[in-house]
Every structure is written in C-alpha cells, then in structure tokens.
Amino acid sequence: MTRLAHDRYCDEVAHQVGLLRSVVTSGADLAATVPTCPDWTLEQLVRHMGQALRWVELLVRTRSEVEIPEDQVPGAEGPAAYGDAAALEAWLAESGEMAVDTLRKAGPDAPVWGWAGEPDAGFWARRMTHEITVHRADAALAAGLPYEVAPDVAADAIDEWLQIVEFVQRTMPHDSARELRGPGRSIHLHATDTGPELQAEWLVELTEEVLVWRRGHEKATVVLRGPLTSVLLAFYRRLPLDSAEVEVLGERELLEFWLERATFG
C-alpha cells in the first residue's frame, strides 16, 4: 500500500495543527454550528481533533496492541471552560506537539493497534494527516475562512479514502455501500489544476464483490472534475456537487448515491 514518506505526514500534521490554531484565534465564533458537521460547534470540532491527536499519541507511545478507551487518555477533556479561545489554542498546540513528536520517534514501522489492516504507526501518521486536513476544512467553512491543501496531501487523502472503503467492503460484506456494487458502474475523479507528475485522476469501478480503483484517465459512468482541493472536498461531502467549483458529467445519481453510502470522516 503506497504512502507518502512518514516525515511528510508528521510535517503535515504539525502544519495543519498550526492552521487550525489560527482558526481558533481568528475571532471566529466558537459556538457557531459547523455547517458540514451540524452536530458540532466549532469548539466541539476543535476539541474532537485535539482528543484524537492525544488518543493516537497514547496508542503509539505505549505500542498498544488493543484499542484504548477514550476516557483513559490523559488531558483529552481539554480546557475546563468553554469559549476561551486562548486556552483552547494552547491545548490544541500541546496536543499536536505531543502527537507529532511521538509519531516521529516511533517511525512508520512501529507495531501498534490499528484498523484497516495496517497495525503500525505509519497508518496513524497518515490517518491523522487526513483527519485534520478534512476537519480543518470544516473549521474554515464554519469560520468563513479560505481553505487550501497541498496537492500531494489532497491526492493521498483520496487514495486513503478509497483504500479504507475497499477494506470495509472486503471485511464487512453487509456494509452500507453494498447497494452500490454492480457491473458497469464506475466513477472518474479528475483534478484539472495539477501536472501529469501527480497523476491526480482516479477510476473507481463498483464490481459485484468489492470496489476496484486505480489512478488514471479512463471513461466512466460519471465524472467529477475540478481543482484538486474542490474534488477532495466534494468527495468527502464538504462541498456540494452543484457548487461552481466542480463539474459532474454523466450519471449524477450514481455519484450522489455513492457519496451518501460510502463517505466517512
């Protein structure tokens, strides 16, 4: 399974934590509802991200062979008072520093409990990179701030998403995406603003047993095209398909059906 370099993930987690901290201290209303995660306020989203970083840090540092309950993670509760941007930002900064330091020291091959068939620290470095990359988009949308992500990270986020959906379909035959399977169904993702060296195009074939996907330019039942960041956000259901930033060609209903049942995060 192809990944970016471990240090690249660690660098990106640190970078994304810094950007999320900037949202916290931007003057944004921490009590505002996050449009793309309507069960959360902006502060609750930030607390979720800090808790996830501390949880992964504990998993990797202790080389845990089992999942650790979240209530056993020291400091995961965050600042006692809600609405204190300075305290929230400081706690998030510490959470990020702890996680990045532990992941760097562990290296990608350190054995640790994980899911999706990848029981090592490298899985968690990658997972945290894309967890915070997407949730920072949620935060930016809630705060009305611009959002961009590095092309290599955006492309890898789509790769990881597809790999996880593939894993779920292989190991959980009764998953919610089972209705999608069938011959002759395919989705093509096409980033319009990247060079050929990145190969930011994907074909997703929805077969009878499990999806098959690969990078490349091929015909499909439906095509989602636009700038890479926009394609990423649309594929994660953070950007509506009728947005001017993306274009859908072909059987739109298949793409909508897929996104309703296969999206996580």
Side-chain angles (χ1 to χ4, degrees):
M1 188 171 294
T2 302
R3 298 172 177 165
L4 302 178
H6 186 71
D7 281 343
R8 178 71 182 93
Y9 290 127
C10 294
D11 290 344
E12 191 63 21
V13 171
H15 177 61
Q16 293 293 333
V17 168
L19 293 173
L20 187 56
R21 289 167 57 197
S22 296
V23 175
V24 173
T25 58
S26 68
D29 181 4
L30 294 176
T33 298
V34 179
T36 46
C37 298
D39 292 337
W40 284 342
T41 65
L42 178 56
E43 177 156 2
Q44 287 171 328
L45 182 148
V46 172
R47 285 174 178 264
H48 163 77
M49 197 61 250
Q51 289 163 358
L53 288 165
R54 287 173 182 260
W55 179 68
V56 166
E57 190 279 331
L58 182 61
L59 277 173
V60 175
R61 175 167 48 82
T62 61
R63 303 294 192 270
S64 181
E65 297 180 355
V66 297
E67 184 176 4
I68 296 176
E70 293 180 4
D71 61 5
Q72 294 182 14
V73 181
E77 65 277 1
Y82 274 69
D84 186 336
L88 185 64
E89 186 271 339
W91 173 79
L92 178 62
E94 182 182 62
S95 303
E97 289 168 2
M98 290 169 58
V100 170
D101 183 60
T102 293
L103 287 166
R104 284 195 197 280
K105 289 178 179 176
D109 300 324
V112 61
W113 175 86
W115 50 277
E118 299 180 75
D120 56 41
F123 167 78
W124 289 113
R126 189 187 199 193
R127 183 80 286 280
M128 283 299 97
T129 295
H130 302 317
E131 177 83 358
I132 193 169
T133 293
V134 173
H135 278 322
R136 186 176 65 81
D138 296 321
L141 288 166
L145 297 172
Y147 176 83
E148 275 295 336
V149 61
D152 63 331
V153 173
D156 189 66
I158 293 174
D159 281 354
E160 189 215 30
W161 189 96
L162 291 169
Q163 287 165 356
I164 288 175
V165 173
E166 179 185 359
F167 172 81
V168 169
Q169 290 192 350
R170 277 193 284 106
T171 59
M172 299 172 61
H174 301 296
D175 71 277
S176 61
R178 64 188 180 280
E179 300 167 74
L180 297 168
R181 299 170 192 155
R185 294 177 177 177
S186 57
I187 299 169
H188 178 57
L189 309 179
H190 184 167
T192 57
D193 62 342
T194 60
E197 67 283 353
L198 190 60
Q199 294 185 310
E201 296 189 61
W202 294 259
L203 180 73
V204 184
E205 295 179 319
L206 307 175
T207 68
E208 291 289 354
E209 296 300 325
V210 64
L211 73 84
V212 176
W213 69 274
R214 56 187 173 273
R215 294 274 192 107
H217 181 84
E218 300 181 49
K219 292 183 178 180
T221 310
V222 61
V223 179
L224 173 65
R225 37 181 289 126
L228 179 54
T229 294
S230 299
V231 169
L232 170 68
L233 294 180
F235 214 44
Y236 266 87
R237 298 184 66 190
R238 265 57 183 191
L239 185 70
L241 295 180
D242 58 5
S243 168
E245 296 177 37
V246 294
E247 183 180 15
V248 179
L249 305 172
E251 295 185 15
R252 182 191 185 99
E253 295 79 8
L254 175 61
L255 182 59
E256 291 174 339
F257 194 59
W258 162 266
L259 294 179
E260 286 175 5
R261 287 159 175 77
T263 301
F264 75 97

